[in-house]
Amino acid sequence: MNGLGTDGGGSTHNTVSSTHNTVSGDAVIVGPLLMAQHIEGIQLPPPPPDVPPSQGPMPSRVFVNRTKELADLRDAALSLAAGPEPGVVLVVGVGGVGKTQLVAQAVRRELHERFPDGQLYVDLADHRRDGAVDLAAVLGEFLRALRVHKDYVPGGLAERTALFRSVAATLRLLVKVDNVQHAPEVRALVPPQGLLVATGRRVLPSLLMDGAVLIDVAPLDGAAGTELVRRWHADADEGTAADVVRLCAGHPLALRAALEWLAARPQLTLDDVVRDLTAGRYGTGDDGVREAMGMAMGAVGGTGEGGVGEAVDSVLDSVVAGVSGHTRHLYDLLGVLPGTTATADLLTAVGATGVDEGLGELLSCRLAVLVESSDRPRRYRLHDVVRAHARLRARALPEERRRAVLRLVVDFYADAAAHGDALVLGDRFRIQPPPVRPLSELAARGTLFTDRADALEWLDAERVNFRAVIRVAADEGWYEEVWRLCESLWALYHSRKHLADCVESGLLGIEAAQRQARPDVEIRMRNQVARAAYELGDLDRAESQLDAAADLLGLAGDPRLSGVVQESRGLIALARGRSEESPGAARERAEEARQLFERALAANRAVPDPHGIVVQSYNVAQALVAGERWADALGVLDEAAETARTTGDEPMLPRIDLVRAHAFAGLGALDRAVAAAGAAADAAAGLKQFAKLDQALELLTALADRAEDRPLRAACEEKLGALRRTMGLRPPAAPTA
C-alpha cells in the first residue's frame, strides 16, 4: 500500500521521499517505512522495578513457644508446594492468639525461599461488607502489587479473576489471607502456582474437603507461657510469671500488651501486674460488656478456652487505665471512629491532643500497629480484638459526645473527598459547592495530598473508611454529607474501578437525596449507580436506574443532568448494539444511541459546558461509526477536535483520533486511518494514557495487516508487546484485522 503512516506532529521529513497529505489537525500522511520507524520511536515509560512483592505484617524479633505449630506449618507448606497443584493451609485459632505472627515467622524462617516471585497479603476484614467480601477489590490490589498498571486492571470480578490467573500463571507466589470466614473467599484467591495460607477463627470443613491442611493454634499452656514471659523478663520469678500467664489465659496478645505496658514503667514489677489483674482494679465494672467481649473473642472448635475473652478484657482494661490521659482519650476516640485505620490528621480533626505522643504510647503497648500504605500519611490501626474492646468502651461515652465526634469525622472526610475529587477530575460538573475549608486546614502538618496522583492514592487508601463513614452519616441522618461524599468519590470509584463500592454508596446517596427532596441529587446518584452497573455488564440494572432518573428530569434545573442521563442511555444502547447478531438491529441500536447523545450534546451546549460538548460530540461520532455513517462521523470529529484544542481539553484528542481512524477505515481510506491512529498513539503516549496507547497500537496493527504493510505491522506488534510488558502483562497474541 502506498502512503501509510503519520509522524503525529505535522512535521516534514526530507530524508524520506513521500507525499504528505493533511488528514486533519496535526496528522499527516507519510510513507510506510517512515511510519514504522516512527512507531518504533514512541517512548514508553520505564518498567517498574523488577522487585517481587513482599506484603504482610513483619515478624516479631521475639517469638517462642510455637515450635510444634511452626513445624506443622512448614511441613504442610513444603509438602503442598512440591505438588503439581496449588495448595491451601488453614491456620485456625481465637482472635489475637498469634495466627498472623505464626505465618510471618514461618515465612521469614523458611518459606520465603520457596516462593521467589513474591508474597501477597490481604486482611479480609478490610473488604467485608454485610458479611460478604469484595473479592474484586482484593484482586485489584493483588494485580497492582504484581505490577499491573492501574489502566489495565478491569472492573468486573470475572475479568479480574481471569487476569490474575493469567499474570500469576508462571509465578511461584505465596498468598497470605487473614480473617477468612467462608471457603469461597479462599478459593477465589488461590494462585495458579504456589500456596495460600489463610487464618481464621473457625474451621471451614468444605475447605478441608478440598485438600486444605489445618493448623490449630491454641492459647499458650502454662509452661510455654511462662517461658515466654521469662524471655521478656529474665529476672521474673517463675511462680509470678505463671500467675501472669494464668490471668491472661495464655493469650499472647494479652501477655504482650501487659508486659509492654510494664516495660514502659520501670518503677513497677511483675508482681504489681499480677496484683492489679487479680484485683480487677481497672475493670469496667460492666458484666454485660465483659460478656460481650468474651463472645467477640469467639471459641473455635477444639481451640476455644473458657475465660479467654474475659482475661483479654481485663488486661486491656489495665493497660488502658495505666496510660497517660491524652493517650486514653485517643484510645477512646479510636473506639468511636468508623472504619479500620486512622491518621494523625483525622485524629487531630476530631479533637485529639498530643496525637504523636499518644500514638507512640499505643504502639509501644502493642495496642496499635502501623499499616502498610501506598500514600504518604502514616496509618494506624488497632488489632481487631483491641478494636472490639475500644468500641465497647466507647459505649460508655455520652451519646451527645459520641455523635459530636462522628460529625467531625464525617465533615473531615466530606471536605477531604471534595478536594481530592477536584484534583483528580478537575473542572467537571458537580452539584455540591466547593468545600469551605481549604485543604491545608485538614492536615495536622503539611497537606493531605499535593497533586492528582497523590490525591488518588489518598482516596484509595481511605476507601474502607469512606465506606464506613457514608454508612454512619446515613444512620445519623446527615443526608447532605452522604450525597456529597458519594458525588466526590466518583473520582475514586471510576478511576480505580471500585464498582461495587460505587453501587453500595450510590444507593445510600439515592435514599439521602429522597430524604432531602433533592431530585437533582437523586438523578446524579442514580446515574452513578447506572454507570457502575454498566461497567459491570449489568445493563438491565443500569437501565432501571436511568428510567427512574429520567422521570425526575422535569424537576431538575440544570440541563447537564439531562445530558448525563442521556449519555448513559446512549452508552447502553451502543453496548447492546455490539451484542446484536443482525446487522440491521445493530444499526438501529447505533441510531438510538446517536439520538441520545445528540440530546446530551444539546444539554451541554445550553449551559454551555465546553468539556461536555467535546465528550458528547465524541459520543455522537462513536454512534455514527457504529451505524456505518463514516463521513458524517468525520465532520462531527473535526468540530470536536477544534473545540478540544481551543479549550485546552487535550486528554480528549487521542479518543477523537481513534474514532476518526475507525471512520477512515470504514471508508476504505487506510492511509488516512493509519494517520489518525498514529496521531492517537502519539497523543496518548504524551499524556500517559496507556490504555488508549494500547488501543491505538492494536488498531494500527490490524490496519497494517489489512494493507499488507509488514514493516508497520512488525513495528506495532513489537511496541504493543513492549507496552504490555511494561504495564505488567504478558505479550499479547497478534490481533486480527
Side-chain angles (χ1 to χ4, degrees), residues 364-590:
S364 68
C365 292
R366 295 293 190 242
L367 296 178
V369 295
L370 278 169
V371 181
E372 295 179 7
S373 176
S374 59
D375 67 330
R376 289 187 304 161
R378 302 184 80 186
R379 299 184 176 279
Y380 304 85
R381 73 182 302 165
L382 302 177
H383 185 283
D384 53 354
V385 172
V386 179
R387 186 164 63 245
H389 175 265
R391 287 181 174 172
L392 287 166
R393 279 178 59 93
R395 293 181 182 177
L397 294 175
E399 180 65 13
E400 183 177 342
R401 170 63 177 153
R402 187 192 67 83
R403 291 191 85 238
V405 171
L406 288 176
R407 184 58 197 240
L408 291 172
V409 172
V410 171
D411 289 344
F412 171 86
Y413 277 111
D415 285 348
H419 283 294
D421 172 31
L423 277 172
V424 174
L425 293 183
D427 188 23
R428 72 176 179 117
F429 166 52
R430 297 174 179 87
I431 294 177
Q432 65 179 297
V436 175
R437 284 188 291 183
L439 185 58
S440 59
E441 286 188 13
L442 298 176
R445 62 179 70 88
T447 56
L448 299 182
F449 34 78
T450 58
D451 56 23
R452 180 186 186 278
D454 265 0
L456 191 54
E457 288 299 330
W458 187 89
L459 291 170
D460 210 1
E462 293 281 1
R463 184 178 68 86
V464 174
N465 295 333
F466 274 123
R467 197 170 66 220
V469 166
I470 291 172
R471 285 191 171 190
V472 163
D475 290 342
E476 297 293 339
W478 300 325
Y479 299 121
E480 182 171 346
E481 285 66 33
V482 171
W483 68 258
R484 280 184 60 204
L485 281 160
C486 293
E487 184 180 44
S488 296
L489 288 174
W490 176 253
L492 168 65
Y493 296 154
H494 181 67
S495 298
R496 291 289 169 90
K497 303 302 179 187
H498 295 308
L499 303 178
D501 282 3
C502 186
V503 171
E504 179 189 14
S505 65
L507 293 176
L508 291 174
I510 291 169
E511 182 180 354
Q514 292 172 338
R515 296 270 190 172
Q516 283 201 306
R518 290 290 303 269
D520 55 340
V521 174
E522 184 176 349
I523 292 168
R524 190 64 186 266
M525 295 295 99
R526 288 191 181 277
N527 186 71
Q528 288 189 185
V529 173
R531 290 295 288 270
Y534 159 77
E535 293 199 44
L536 288 168
D538 191 349
L539 302 185
D540 290 340
R541 182 176 193 177
E543 282 193 324
S544 68
Q545 289 292 337
L546 293 172
D547 287 343
D551 290 341
L552 299 170
L553 288 175
L555 302 175
D558 196 312
R560 286 174 291 186
L561 289 168
S562 173
V564 298
V565 172
Q566 304 304 339
E567 177 189 21
S568 297
R569 284 183 175 277
L571 292 173
I572 292 171
L574 278 182
R576 293 199 184 279
R578 286 191 291 268
S579 63
E580 294 283 2
E581 296 182 1
S582 164
R587 284 192 292 271
E588 288 180 7
R589 288 286 190 182

Side-chain angles (χ1 to χ4, degrees), residues 209-293:
M209 293 176 66
D210 291 346
V213 177
L214 177 65
I215 306 295
D216 197 343
V217 183
L220 297 169
D221 60 26
T226 299
E227 181 185 346
L228 179 60
V229 172
R230 299 189 73 186
R231 177 72 175 268
W232 283 325
H233 289 268
D235 59 346
D237 175 80
E238 185 171 350
T240 304
D243 286 340
V244 173
V245 175
R246 174 180 54 80
L247 290 166
C248 292
H251 196 284
L253 184 147
L255 283 168
R256 187 71 183 248
L259 295 176
E260 291 281 359
W261 174 82
L262 176 63
R265 292 157 181 81
Q267 77 277 13
L268 301 179
T269 67
L270 203 59
D271 289 318
D272 294 319
V273 173
V274 172
R275 183 176 59 253
D276 290 344
L277 288 174
T278 301
R281 179 174 300 175
Y282 304 121
T284 62
D286 186 339
D287 291 337
V289 168
R290 209 170 276 286
E291 179 182 355
M293 193 57 201

Side-chain angles (χ1 to χ4, degrees), residues 21-265:
N21 298 308
T22 300
V23 176
S24 63
D26 292 333
V28 295
I29 302 172
V30 299
L33 180 60
L34 183 59
M35 181 51 150
Q37 292 173 344
H38 182 74
I39 294 300
E40 292 170 355
I42 289 179
Q43 293 297 310
L44 300 180
D50 189 15
V51 179
S54 182
Q55 299 181 335
M58 295 296 293
S60 170
R61 288 177 296 175
V62 179
F63 186 83
V64 296
N65 301 312
R66 291 299 189 188
T67 304
K68 180 181 183 303
E69 292 90 341
L70 276 172
D72 289 346
L73 178 54
R74 177 200 62 212
D75 293 345
L78 296 182
S79 175
L80 291 169
E85 301 295 331
V88 174
V89 177
L90 179 61
V91 182
V92 174
V94 296
V97 79
K99 303 182 294 293
T100 299
Q101 189 57 219
L102 177 70
V103 174
Q105 294 290 335
V107 170
R108 182 189 67 176
R109 298 181 186 198
E110 293 188 57
L111 298 186
H112 71 280
E113 296 179 354
R114 301 283 177 161
F115 304 97
D117 296 313
Q119 305 162 32
L120 301 174
Y121 171 79
V122 64
D123 185 343
L124 294 187
D126 289 341
H127 297 275
R128 198 177 301 281
R129 62 164 73 85
D130 298 329
V133 168
D134 184 357
L135 291 171
V138 176
L139 287 169
E141 292 179 2
F142 281 4
L143 288 168
R144 287 191 288 273
L146 292 172
R147 300 185 294 281
V148 176
H149 192 276
K150 61 182 179 61
D151 290 354
Y152 283 73
V153 177
L157 174 59
E159 293 82 2
R160 289 187 178 186
T161 301
L163 183 57
F164 174 64
R165 291 174 179 168
S166 175
V167 169
T170 60
L171 303 179
R172 298 287 293 175
L173 291 173
L174 175 62
V175 177
K176 300 170 289 184
V177 183
D178 276 345
N179 286 307
V180 167
Q181 293 184 6
H182 308 288
E185 299 166 355
V186 175
R187 296 188 185 110
L189 303 177
V190 175
Q193 293 193 51
L195 182 72
L196 184 144
V197 180
T199 72
R201 297 190 182 184
R202 62 189 181 90
V203 176
L204 303 176
S206 62
L207 209 58
L208 301 184
M209 293 176 66
D210 291 346
V213 177
L214 177 65
I215 306 295
D216 197 343
V217 183
L220 297 169
D221 60 26
T226 299
E227 181 185 346
L228 179 60
V229 172
R230 299 189 73 186
R231 177 72 175 268
W232 283 325
H233 289 268
D235 59 346
D237 175 80
E238 185 171 350
T240 304
D243 286 340
V244 173
V245 175
R246 174 180 54 80
L247 290 166
C248 292
H251 196 284
L253 184 147
L255 283 168
R256 187 71 183 248
L259 295 176
E260 291 281 359
W261 174 82
L262 176 63
R265 292 157 181 81

